Amino acid sequence: MPVLHTGRRRSNQNRSYNGPARQGPVRHLSVAQLNLERVYEQNRLNVQKRDGANAPEPAPGTAAKGKPRLLLMGQRRSGKSSISSVVFHKMPPNETLFLESTARIQKDAMHSFMDFQVWDFPGQLNFMDPSFDLDAIFGEIGALIWVIDAQDEYHEAINRLNSTILNIYPNYPNVNVEVFIHKVDGLSDDYKLDIQRDIMQRIQDELSDHGVENAPINFHLTSIYNHSIFEAFSKVIQKLIPHLPTLEALLNDLCRACRFEKAYLFDVLSKIYIATDSSPVDMPSYEICSDYIDVIVDVSEIYAWPRPPEYIQLLEGPPWNKKLEDQTACNDAESCIVLTDGKRPIMLREVNKYLALVAIMCEGSYEKMPSVTMNVESTVKGLTEVFNITRQRRE
Amino acid sequence: MDQMNSLSIHDDPVPSPSSEPRKQKKKKVLLMGKSGSGKSSMRSIIFSNYIAKDTRRLGATIDVDLSHVKFLGNLTLNLWDCGGQDAFMENYLSQQRQHVFSNVGVLIYVFDIESRDFDRDLLTYRSIIAALSQFSQSASVYILVHKMDLVVPNQREDMYNDRVSLIRSKSDSFDPTPFATSIWDQSLYKAWAEIIHDLVPNLDQIEKHLGSLGKLIMAEEVLLFERTSFLVVSSWSSKGIITSDKDQPAQNPTYDRNERLSNIIKNFKQSTSRYTGTPKSAEQFSVFDLKMPNFCMFLIKFTTNTYLGVVLPPGEERFNAAKLNCYIARTHFEDLDSPARKSADRGVSGDSGELA
């Protein structure tokens, strides 16, 4: 059941690796190739479902499995496990104080709008040790997230990041390196920017000294005590979505048609937004939309109890004489709240099991809700089509 | 629901020199308890839209902190948050005895479950009760055993029952209503919702009308929220959710749903206030619609002091008709909310236009 309907959240703390068994040596692939292989694999599965005998061979290589991997790395005590607990296990931020230090690589498989794995590395691990199979670690990689504690001495962290990049760059030049300048809550805005500038400078200088120019490195200021960590993850994950431009175009059209101020496509479980329209993202609108999802999930947890069948029969009987699902216009969650300030409505519409569309509408447009609902309906149809084309069928 | 017996508090005013006729509806609510037991924290959460975390900022209350809270049915709560340090306590019991304890409608006494010297707490409680029985015989007494979150879950019930029976034995002629509370969950909302439920005048009337409104629009549940505190002051749930057993209508299995809903909305109001930049005490939203495959609900701004929440079975027609009917019923309830404003437009009786 989708989480919006029943309100149950994923709370399992089962951190064991439950992805597919890893096979043989891996090789590196370009992004385009990765997508191609993903499409191939999906078509193969479809054919297999229809006609088991004629199914083509699985594509060689690993990307066929289509599970991009996020690697969390950084110095010990920089907050890697806290990040993965807060973002992917819904742990309240202040409880992360009690997390123990990670002793071995923690692998989490996320089953959501797209399947990906999060690998949490112990800080003291040195991957440059020749005994490590670099291919096994970086082969299927989607992004390397390097966490730096901004409230601590960070030179050592930068040195290790640099040596890691220099080590893997020749073999895997397409790895996205995302640097999370972490624990920035409590630092002043000026100081944050100073630190960011300093870290960027040091990394770029060091890399260009070794002849690596234009390495794909991005920087994010994050903290688990506000929404910045979700925002940063959103940006990281958006880079892994092959059909992002299509999604963005759909949202842009919707925003223009309904004069929405901002629209987000959220992953309901992790509250990461996987796409948004092209207007600039501002923290407050992200926060309010993400909190609104919480409200819906919590409210449905209270009221979505299974009604007795006799009662449902009564509701489907006269004078309606219609099935309950025919009495509703749409069989997914739909919601809207009108803020008193400026009469600004916020609307939410479930897209599929994992995704919800949340948008901030323009002032005073609650009266136009019916036509907005219609536009949203067709956008959702478009989004579903996009996902049907690109996603493997799991059922 | 024992609201009936305590509804009579306000109509036997205790003769006291300080009571003026225009203050008749102002009930004095005393909030007392040992220093650091959490009186100001809970007051801030209920009436000033603090979240639990924010209460760390609060310092000790010096002497008495007076506040007036406007409420449903023209009721103004005259809330006396009494600082609990020993020196103040002695002062209340000696010099200010009459000033503090006369004309009291409600005494809310907070016990700290973690208190190391429970016997001394009881002693203070006893002297407070003695003073209260001297000046305000008719006051009702509520006992909040607070900070329950600090006790290991499986010991909570025993410890609470133990404390309550001790407190009861020291309560003279009063019959205190006990609650176990914590600011970290919805138990605080439950306790205060019941206290306020008992305080509101003409609530039985409001409840009756709420019930008939609910039946008319075929709702599963109707909830009436107080505007500022967002506590559920009155609720009605349908007996129409039939099961195979004819006499036993089904009920939502979440028994603490009202408190939880208050909690959810209050938390969301924090977010909206941050987003819009308006003060937390301002009303933050006017309409909230939610349509799910197996239920739908809406919350609308209802009368001056209230919000109305309605839970319905799914279906567009039902939803829209119910919402329209609730808007029509608004004028009618406005009269019940503030009886003083009985104006000429009384004739607009609301809940007659069923559309579906």
Side-chain angles (χ1 to χ4, degrees), chain A residues 4-5 284 287-288 291-292 295-296 298-299 301-303 305 307-308 310-311 315 320 322 327-329 331-341 360 366, chain B residues 218 220 223 240-244 252-254 257 260 264 268 271-272 274-276 283-293 295 297 313 315-316 318 323:
Chain A
L4 274 171
H5 293 192
E287 279 174 25
I288 193 87
D291 287 346
Y292 191 48
V295 171
I296 308 292
D298 290 346
V299 170
E301 185 176 352
I302 305 178
Y303 291 105
W305 53 289
R307 271 60 171 178
E310 289 83 2
Y311 177 57
L315 292 173
W320 295 284
K322 258 192 269 179
Q327 294 182 33
T328 55
N331 274 313
D332 298 310
E334 258 186 317
S335 177
C336 179
I337 190 166
V338 182
L339 301 185
T340 306
D341 174 66
I360 297 173
Y366 186 66
Chain B
M218 297 194 64
E220 288 178 2
L223 308 162
I241 308 180
I242 50 165
T243 51
S244 47
N252 189 335
T254 322
R257 55 188 182 275
R260 279 169 70 167
I264 294 165
F268 187 61
S271 320
T272 54
R274 229 176 303 135
Y275 176 66
T276 58
E283 56 180 68
Q284 293 291 348
F285 67 96
S286 48
V287 190
F288 168 67
D289 298 341
L290 176 60
K291 292 174 196 163
M292 286 287 179
F295 78 98
M297 77 177 292
E316 299 290 328
R318 218 175 274 126
K323 203 162 159 190

Coordinates of all heavy atoms in Angstrom, one line a residue, chain A residues 4-5 284 287-288 291-292 295-296 298-299 301-303 305 307-308 310-311 315 320 322 327-329 331-341 360 366, chain B residues 218 220 223 240-244 252-254 257 260 264 268 271-272 274-276 283-293 295 297 313 315-316 318 323:
Chain A
L4 N 0.9 7.2 1.5 CA 0.0 8.3 1.7 C -1.4 7.8 2.1 O -2.2 8.5 2.8 CB -0.2 9.1 0.4 CG 0.8 10.2 0.2 CD1 0.7 10.8 -1.2 CD2 0.7 11.3 1.2
H5 N -1.7 6.6 1.7 CA -3.0 6.0 2.0 C -3.1 5.5 3.4 O -4.1 5.7 4.1 CB -3.4 4.9 1.1 CG -3.6 5.4 -0.3 ND1 -4.2 4.7 -1.3 CD2 -3.3 6.6 -0.9 CE1 -4.2 5.3 -2.4 NE2 -3.7 6.5 -2.2
P284 N 12.2 28.1 2.2 CA 10.9 28.1 2.9 C 9.9 27.3 2.1 O 9.1 26.6 2.7 CB 10.6 29.6 3.0 CG 11.9 30.3 2.9 CD 12.7 29.5 2.1
E287 N 10.4 23.7 2.6 CA 10.1 23.2 4.0 C 8.6 23.1 4.1 O 8.1 22.1 4.7 CB 10.6 24.3 5.0 CG 12.0 24.1 5.3 CD 12.6 25.2 6.2 OE1 11.8 25.7 7.0 OE2 13.8 25.4 6.2
I288 N 7.8 24.1 3.6 CA 6.4 24.0 3.9 C 5.8 22.9 3.1 O 4.9 22.1 3.6 CB 5.7 25.4 3.5 CG1 4.3 25.4 4.0 CG2 5.7 25.6 2.0 CD1 4.2 25.9 5.4
D291 N 6.7 19.7 5.0 CA 5.9 19.5 6.2 C 4.5 19.2 5.9 O 3.8 18.5 6.6 CB 5.9 20.8 7.0 CG 7.3 21.0 7.7 OD1 8.1 20.0 7.7 OD2 7.6 22.1 8.1
Y292 N 4.0 19.6 4.7 CA 2.6 19.4 4.4 C 2.4 17.9 4.1 O 1.4 17.3 4.4 CB 2.2 20.2 3.1 CG 0.8 20.2 2.8 CD1 -0.2 20.4 3.8 CD2 0.3 19.9 1.6 CE1 -1.5 20.4 3.6 CE2 -1.1 19.9 1.3 CZ -2.0 20.1 2.3 OH -3.3 20.1 2.1
V295 N 1.9 16.2 7.3 CA 0.5 16.4 7.8 C -0.4 15.3 7.2 O -1.1 14.6 7.9 CB 0.0 17.8 7.5 CG1 -1.5 17.9 7.8 CG2 0.7 18.8 8.3
I296 N -0.3 15.2 5.9 CA -1.2 14.2 5.2 C -0.9 12.8 5.7 O -1.8 12.0 5.9 CB -1.0 14.3 3.6 CG1 -1.1 15.7 3.2 CG2 -2.0 13.4 2.9 CD1 -2.4 16.3 3.2
D298 N 0.4 11.9 8.5 CA -0.1 11.7 9.9 C -1.6 11.6 10.0 O -2.1 10.8 10.7 CB 0.4 12.8 10.8 CG 1.9 12.8 11.0 OD1 2.5 11.7 10.7 OD2 2.5 13.8 11.4
V299 N -2.3 12.5 9.3 CA -3.7 12.5 9.3 C -4.3 11.2 8.8 O -5.2 10.6 9.4 CB -4.3 13.7 8.6 CG1 -5.8 13.6 8.4 CG2 -4.0 15.0 9.3
E301 N -2.9 8.4 8.8 CA -2.6 7.3 9.8 C -3.7 7.2 10.8 O -4.1 6.1 11.2 CB -1.3 7.6 10.5 CG -0.9 6.4 11.4 CD 0.5 6.7 12.0 OE1 1.1 7.7 11.7 OE2 0.8 5.9 12.9
I302 N -4.3 8.3 11.2 CA -5.4 8.3 12.2 C -6.7 7.9 11.6 O -7.4 7.1 12.2 CB -5.6 9.7 12.7 CG1 -4.3 10.3 13.3 CG2 -6.6 9.7 13.8 CD1 -4.4 11.7 13.8
Y303 N -7.1 8.3 10.4 CA -8.4 8.1 9.9 C -8.6 7.1 8.8 O -9.7 6.8 8.4 CB -9.0 9.5 9.4 CG -9.2 10.4 10.5 CD1 -8.4 11.5 10.7 CD2 -10.3 10.2 11.4 CE1 -8.6 12.4 11.8 CE2 -10.5 11.1 12.5 CZ -9.7 12.2 12.6 OH -9.9 13.0 13.7
W305 N -8.6 3.9 8.8 CA -8.8 2.6 9.3 C -9.8 1.9 8.4 O -10.6 2.5 7.7 CB -9.4 2.6 10.7 CG -10.6 3.5 10.9 CD1 -10.6 4.8 10.8 CD2 -11.9 3.0 11.1 NE1 -11.9 5.2 11.0 CE2 -12.7 4.2 11.2 CE3 -12.5 1.8 11.3 CZ2 -14.1 4.1 11.4 CZ3 -13.9 1.7 11.5 CH2 -14.6 2.9 11.6
R307 N -12.9 0.4 7.0 CA -14.3 0.4 7.3 C -14.9 -0.9 7.2 O -14.5 -1.7 6.3 CB -15.0 1.5 6.4 CG -15.1 2.9 6.9 CD -13.7 3.5 7.1 NE -13.8 4.9 7.4 CZ -12.8 5.7 7.6 NH1 -11.6 5.2 7.7 NH2 -12.9 7.0 7.9
P308 N -15.9 -1.3 8.0 CA -16.6 -2.6 7.9 C -17.3 -2.7 6.5 O -17.8 -1.7 6.0 CB -17.6 -2.6 9.0 CG -17.7 -1.2 9.5 CD -16.4 -0.5 9.1
E310 N -20.1 -3.9 5.6 CA -21.5 -3.6 5.6 C -21.7 -2.1 5.4 O -22.7 -1.6 4.7 CB -22.2 -4.0 6.9 CG -22.3 -5.5 7.2 CD -21.1 -6.1 7.7 OE1 -20.1 -5.3 7.9 OE2 -21.0 -7.3 7.8
Y311 N -20.8 -1.3 6.0 CA -20.9 0.2 5.9 C -20.7 0.6 4.5 O -21.4 1.4 3.9 CB -19.9 0.8 6.9 CG -19.8 2.3 6.9 CD1 -21.0 3.0 7.1 CD2 -18.6 2.9 6.6 CE1 -20.9 4.4 7.1 CE2 -18.5 4.3 6.7 CZ -19.7 5.0 6.9 OH -19.6 6.4 6.9
L315 N -23.0 2.6 1.8 CA -22.6 3.8 1.0 C -22.7 3.6 -0.5 O -23.0 4.6 -1.2 CB -21.2 4.2 1.4 CG -20.9 4.6 2.8 CD1 -19.4 4.8 3.0 CD2 -21.6 6.0 3.0
W320 N -27.1 6.4 -4.1 CA -26.0 6.6 -5.0 C -25.9 5.5 -6.1 O -25.7 5.8 -7.3 CB -24.7 6.6 -4.2 CG -24.7 7.8 -3.4 CD1 -24.5 9.1 -3.8 CD2 -24.9 7.9 -2.0 NE1 -24.5 10.0 -2.7 CE2 -24.8 9.2 -1.6 CE3 -25.2 6.9 -1.0 CZ2 -25.0 9.7 -0.3 CZ3 -25.4 7.3 0.3 CH2 -25.3 8.7 0.7
K322 N -23.7 3.4 -6.8 CA -22.4 3.4 -7.5 C -21.3 2.8 -6.6 O -21.4 2.9 -5.4 CB -22.0 4.8 -7.8 CG -22.3 5.2 -9.3 CD -21.7 6.6 -9.6 CE -22.6 7.7 -9.4 NZ -22.0 9.0 -9.6
Q327 N -17.6 7.0 -7.1 CA -18.1 8.2 -6.5 C -17.1 9.3 -6.4 O -17.4 10.5 -6.2 CB -18.8 8.0 -5.2 CG -20.0 7.1 -5.3 CD -20.6 6.9 -3.9 OE1 -20.6 7.7 -3.1 NE2 -21.2 5.7 -3.7
T328 N -15.8 8.9 -6.4 CA -14.7 9.9 -6.3 C -14.2 10.2 -7.6 O -14.2 9.4 -8.6 CB -13.6 9.3 -5.4 OG1 -13.2 8.1 -6.0 CG2 -14.0 9.1 -4.0
A329 N -13.7 11.4 -7.8 CA -13.2 11.8 -9.1 C -11.8 11.2 -9.3 O -11.4 11.0 -10.4 CB -13.1 13.4 -9.1
N331 N -8.8 8.4 -7.6 CA -8.6 7.4 -6.6 C -7.2 7.5 -5.9 O -6.8 6.6 -5.3 CB -8.8 6.1 -7.2 CG -10.3 5.7 -7.1 OD1 -10.9 5.9 -6.1 ND2 -10.8 5.2 -8.2
D332 N -6.6 8.6 -6.0 CA -5.3 8.9 -5.3 C -5.6 10.0 -4.3 O -6.6 10.6 -4.3 CB -4.2 9.2 -6.2 CG -3.9 8.1 -7.2 OD1 -3.8 7.0 -6.8 OD2 -3.9 8.4 -8.4
A333 N -4.6 10.2 -3.4 CA -4.8 11.2 -2.4 C -4.8 12.6 -3.1 O -4.0 12.8 -4.0 CB -3.7 11.1 -1.4
E334 N -5.7 13.4 -2.6 CA -5.7 14.8 -3.1 C -5.9 15.7 -1.9 O -6.8 15.4 -1.1 CB -7.0 15.0 -4.0 CG -6.8 14.9 -5.5 CD -8.1 15.2 -6.2 OE1 -9.1 14.7 -5.8 OE2 -8.0 16.0 -7.1
S335 N -5.2 16.8 -1.9 CA -5.5 17.7 -0.7 C -5.1 19.1 -1.1 O -4.4 19.4 -2.0 CB -4.6 17.2 0.5 OG -4.7 18.0 1.5
C336 N -5.7 20.0 -0.3 CA -5.4 21.4 -0.5 C -5.6 22.1 0.8 O -6.5 21.8 1.6 CB -6.4 21.9 -1.5 SG -6.2 23.6 -1.9
I337 N -4.7 23.1 1.1 CA -4.9 23.9 2.3 C -4.8 25.4 1.9 O -3.9 25.7 1.0 CB -3.9 23.5 3.4 CG1 -4.3 24.2 4.7 CG2 -2.5 23.8 3.0 CD1 -3.5 23.6 5.9
V338 N -5.6 26.2 2.4 CA -5.5 27.6 2.0 C -5.0 28.4 3.2 O -5.6 28.4 4.3 CB -6.9 28.2 1.7 CG1 -6.8 29.7 1.2 CG2 -7.5 27.4 0.6
L339 N -3.8 29.0 3.0 CA -3.2 29.8 4.1 C -4.0 31.1 4.2 O -4.3 31.7 3.2 CB -1.7 30.0 3.8 CG -0.9 28.8 3.7 CD1 0.6 29.1 3.5 CD2 -1.1 27.9 4.9
T340 N -4.1 31.6 5.4 CA -4.9 32.8 5.6 C -4.1 34.0 5.0 O -4.6 34.9 4.4 CB -5.1 33.1 7.1 OG1 -5.8 31.9 7.6 CG2 -6.0 34.3 7.3
D341 N -2.8 33.9 5.2 CA -1.9 35.0 4.7 C -1.9 35.0 3.2 O -1.4 34.2 2.5 CB -0.5 34.8 5.2 CG 0.5 35.8 4.7 OD1 0.3 37.0 5.0 OD2 1.4 35.4 3.9
I360 N 2.8 25.2 -4.5 CA 2.3 26.4 -3.9 C 1.6 27.2 -5.0 O 2.2 27.5 -6.0 CB 3.4 27.2 -3.2 CG1 4.0 26.3 -2.1 CG2 2.9 28.5 -2.7 CD1 5.3 26.9 -1.6
Y366 N -7.9 29.7 -5.0 CA -8.7 28.6 -4.5 C -10.0 28.5 -5.3 O -10.5 27.3 -5.5 CB -9.0 28.8 -3.0 CG -9.7 27.5 -2.4 CD1 -9.0 26.3 -2.3 CD2 -11.0 27.6 -1.9 CE1 -9.6 25.2 -1.8 CE2 -11.6 26.5 -1.4 CZ -10.9 25.3 -1.3 OH -11.5 24.2 -0.8
Chain B
M218 N -24.2 13.2 6.9 CA -23.7 11.8 6.9 C -22.2 11.7 7.2 O -21.5 10.9 6.6 CB -24.0 11.2 5.5 CG -25.4 11.1 5.2 SD -25.7 10.0 3.8 CE -25.2 8.5 4.5
E220 N -18.8 10.9 9.4 CA -18.4 9.8 10.3 C -18.0 10.5 11.6 O -18.2 9.9 12.7 CB -17.2 9.1 9.7 CG -17.5 8.2 8.6 CD -16.3 7.5 8.0 OE1 -15.2 7.6 8.5 OE2 -16.5 6.7 7.0
L223 N -15.8 17.4 14.5 CA -14.9 17.9 15.6 C -15.0 19.4 15.6 O -15.0 20.1 14.6 CB -13.5 17.5 15.3 CG -13.2 16.0 15.1 CD1 -11.8 15.9 14.4 CD2 -13.3 15.2 16.3
G240 N -23.5 5.5 12.6 CA -24.0 4.9 11.4 C -23.0 4.0 10.7 O -23.3 3.5 9.6
I241 N -21.9 3.8 11.3 CA -20.9 2.9 10.7 C -21.3 1.5 11.0 O -20.8 0.9 12.0 CB -19.5 3.3 11.1 CG1 -19.2 4.7 10.9 CG2 -18.4 2.4 10.3 CD1 -17.8 5.2 11.3
I242 N -22.2 0.9 10.3 CA -22.7 -0.4 10.7 C -21.8 -1.5 10.4 O -21.0 -1.5 9.5 CB -24.1 -0.6 10.0 CG1 -23.9 -0.4 8.5 CG2 -25.2 0.2 10.6 CD1 -25.1 -1.0 7.7
T243 N -21.9 -2.5 11.3 CA -21.2 -3.8 11.0 C -22.2 -4.9 11.0 O -23.4 -4.7 11.0 CB -20.2 -4.0 12.2 OG1 -20.9 -4.0 13.4 CG2 -19.1 -3.0 12.3
S244 N -21.6 -6.1 10.9 CA -22.5 -7.3 10.8 C -23.3 -7.4 12.1 O -24.5 -7.9 12.1 CB -21.7 -8.5 10.5 OG -20.6 -8.6 11.4
N252 N -13.6 4.2 15.0 CA -12.2 4.4 14.6 C -11.3 3.8 15.8 O -11.4 4.2 16.9 CB -11.9 5.9 14.5 CG -10.5 6.1 13.9 OD1 -9.6 5.3 14.0 ND2 -10.4 7.3 13.2
P253 N -10.4 2.9 15.5 CA -9.6 2.2 16.5 C -8.6 3.2 17.2 O -8.1 2.8 18.2 CB -9.0 1.1 15.8 CG -9.0 1.4 14.4 CD -10.2 2.3 14.1
T254 N -8.3 4.3 16.5 CA -7.3 5.2 17.2 C -8.1 6.0 18.2 O -8.7 7.0 17.9 CB -6.8 6.1 16.1 OG1 -6.6 5.4 14.9 CG2 -5.5 6.7 16.6
R257 N -7.3 10.0 18.7 CA -7.2 10.7 17.5 C -7.4 12.2 17.6 O -6.7 13.0 16.9 CB -8.1 10.1 16.4 CG -9.6 10.1 16.9 CD -10.4 9.3 15.9 NE -11.8 9.3 16.2 CZ -12.4 8.5 17.1 NH1 -11.6 7.6 17.7 NH2 -13.7 8.5 17.3
R260 N -4.2 13.7 18.8 CA -3.2 13.6 17.8 C -3.4 14.6 16.6 O -2.5 15.2 16.2 CB -3.1 12.2 17.2 CG -2.4 11.3 18.2 CD -2.5 9.9 17.8 NE -1.8 9.5 16.6 CZ -1.6 8.3 16.2 NH1 -2.0 7.3 17.0 NH2 -1.0 8.0 15.1
I264 N -0.9 17.5 15.4 CA -0.5 17.6 14.0 C -0.7 19.0 13.4 O 0.2 19.6 12.9 CB -1.2 16.6 13.1 CG1 -0.9 15.1 13.5 CG2 -0.9 16.8 11.6 CD1 -1.8 14.1 12.9
F268 N 1.9 21.9 12.3 CA 1.9 22.5 11.0 C 1.8 24.0 11.0 O 2.3 24.7 10.2 CB 0.8 21.8 10.1 CG 0.9 22.2 8.7 CD1 2.0 21.9 7.9 CD2 -0.1 22.9 8.1 CE1 2.1 22.3 6.6 CE2 0.0 23.3 6.7 CZ 1.1 23.0 6.0
S271 N 5.0 25.6 11.1 CA 5.7 25.7 9.8 C 5.1 26.8 8.9 O 5.8 27.5 8.3 CB 5.5 24.3 9.0 OG 5.6 23.2 9.8
T272 N 3.7 26.9 8.9 CA 3.1 27.9 8.1 C 3.5 29.3 8.6 O 3.7 30.2 7.9 CB 1.6 27.8 8.1 OG1 1.1 27.8 9.4 CG2 1.2 26.6 7.3
R274 N 6.3 30.1 10.0 CA 7.6 30.3 9.6 C 7.6 30.7 8.1 O 8.3 31.6 7.7 CB 8.5 29.1 9.8 CG 9.8 29.4 10.5 CD 10.5 28.1 10.7 NE 9.8 27.1 11.5 CZ 9.7 25.8 11.2 NH1 10.3 25.3 10.1 NH2 9.0 25.0 11.9
Y275 N 6.7 30.1 7.4 CA 6.7 30.3 5.9 C 6.1 31.7 5.6 O 6.7 32.5 4.8 CB 5.9 29.2 5.2 CG 5.7 29.5 3.8 CD1 6.8 29.4 2.9 CD2 4.5 29.7 3.2 CE1 6.7 29.6 1.6 CE2 4.3 29.9 1.9 CZ 5.4 29.9 1.0 OH 5.3 30.1 -0.3
T276 N 5.0 32.1 6.3 CA 4.3 33.3 5.9 C 4.9 34.5 6.7 O 4.7 35.6 6.3 CB 2.8 33.2 6.2 OG1 2.7 32.9 7.6 CG2 2.2 32.2 5.4
E283 N -4.4 33.2 13.0 CA -5.0 32.0 12.4 C -4.2 31.8 11.1 O -3.8 32.7 10.3 CB -6.4 32.3 12.0 CG -6.6 33.5 11.2 CD -8.1 33.7 10.9 OE1 -8.8 34.0 11.8 OE2 -8.4 33.6 9.7
Q284 N -3.8 30.5 10.9 CA -2.8 30.3 9.8 C -3.5 29.8 8.5 O -3.0 30.0 7.4 CB -1.8 29.3 10.2 CG -0.9 29.8 11.3 CD 0.0 30.9 10.8 OE1 0.2 31.1 9.6 NE2 0.7 31.6 11.7
F285 N -4.6 29.1 8.6 CA -5.2 28.7 7.4 C -6.8 28.8 7.5 O -7.3 28.9 8.6 CB -4.8 27.2 7.1 CG -5.3 26.2 8.1 CD1 -6.5 25.5 7.8 CD2 -4.7 26.0 9.3 CE1 -7.0 24.6 8.7 CE2 -5.1 25.1 10.2 CZ -6.3 24.4 9.9
S286 N -7.4 28.8 6.4 CA -8.9 28.9 6.4 C -9.6 27.7 6.0 O -10.7 27.4 6.5 CB -9.3 30.1 5.6 OG -8.7 30.1 4.3
V287 N -9.0 26.9 5.1 CA -9.6 25.7 4.6 C -8.6 24.6 4.5 O -7.4 24.9 4.0 CB -10.3 25.9 3.2 CG1 -11.1 24.7 2.8 CG2 -11.1 27.1 3.1
F288 N -8.9 23.4 4.8 CA -8.0 22.3 4.5 C -8.9 21.2 4.0 O -9.8 20.7 4.7 CB -7.3 21.9 5.8 CG -6.6 20.6 5.8 CD1 -5.5 20.4 5.0 CD2 -7.0 19.5 6.5 CE1 -4.8 19.2 4.9 CE2 -6.4 18.3 6.5 CZ -5.3 18.1 5.7
D289 N -8.6 20.7 2.8 CA -9.4 19.6 2.2 C -8.4 18.4 2.1 O -7.3 18.6 1.7 CB -9.8 19.9 0.8 CG -10.8 21.1 0.7 OD1 -11.3 21.4 1.8 OD2 -10.9 21.7 -0.4
L290 N -9.0 17.2 2.3 CA -8.2 16.0 2.1 C -9.1 15.0 1.5 O -10.1 14.6 2.2 CB -7.5 15.6 3.4 CG -6.7 14.3 3.3 CD1 -5.6 14.4 2.3 CD2 -6.2 14.0 4.7
K291 N -8.8 14.5 0.3 CA -9.6 13.4 -0.2 C -8.7 12.2 -0.4 O -7.7 12.2 -1.1 CB -10.2 13.8 -1.6 CG -11.2 14.9 -1.5 CD -11.6 15.4 -2.8 CE -12.4 16.7 -2.7 NZ -12.4 17.4 -4.1
M292 N -9.1 11.1 0.2 CA -8.3 9.9 0.2 C -9.2 8.8 -0.4 O -10.5 9.0 -0.5 CB -8.0 9.4 1.6 CG -6.9 10.3 2.2 SD -5.3 9.8 1.4 CE -4.2 10.9 2.2
P293 N -8.7 7.7 -0.9 CA -9.5 6.7 -1.5 C -10.5 6.1 -0.4 O -11.6 5.6 -0.8 CB -8.6 5.6 -1.9 CG -7.3 6.2 -1.9 CD -7.3 7.4 -1.0
F295 N -11.4 7.7 2.8 CA -12.1 8.6 3.6 C -11.8 10.0 3.0 O -10.9 10.2 2.2 CB -11.7 8.6 5.0 CG -10.4 9.2 5.3 CD1 -10.3 10.5 5.9 CD2 -9.2 8.6 5.1 CE1 -9.1 11.1 6.1 CE2 -8.0 9.2 5.4 CZ -7.9 10.4 5.9
M297 N -11.8 14.3 4.4 CA -12.1 15.2 5.5 C -11.9 16.6 5.1 O -11.1 16.9 4.2 CB -11.3 14.8 6.7 CG -9.8 15.3 6.7 SD -8.9 14.8 8.2 CE -9.7 15.9 9.4
P313 N -17.2 9.7 4.6 CA -16.8 8.6 3.6 C -16.4 9.2 2.3 O -16.9 10.4 2.0 CB -18.0 7.8 3.5 CG -19.1 8.6 4.1 CD -18.5 9.6 5.0
G315 N -16.3 10.3 -1.7 CA -17.4 10.7 -2.7 C -17.4 12.1 -2.8 O -17.6 12.9 -1.9
E316 N -17.3 12.6 -4.1 CA -17.3 14.0 -4.4 C -18.6 14.7 -4.0 O -18.6 15.8 -3.3 CB -17.1 14.3 -5.9 CG -15.8 13.7 -6.4 CD -14.6 14.5 -5.9 OE1 -14.6 15.7 -5.7 OE2 -13.5 13.8 -5.7
R318 N -20.9 13.9 -1.8 CA -21.1 13.9 -0.4 C -20.2 15.0 0.2 O -20.6 15.8 1.0 CB -20.6 12.6 0.1 CG -21.5 12.1 1.3 CD -21.1 10.7 1.7 NE -21.8 9.7 0.9 CZ -21.1 8.7 0.2 NH1 -19.8 8.7 0.2 NH2 -21.8 7.8 -0.4
K323 N -19.7 20.2 2.8 CA -19.0 21.4 3.0 C -19.9 22.6 2.9 O -19.9 23.5 3.7 CB -17.9 21.5 2.0 CG -16.7 22.4 2.4 CD -15.5 22.1 1.6 CE -14.6 23.3 1.6 NZ -13.5 23.1 0.6

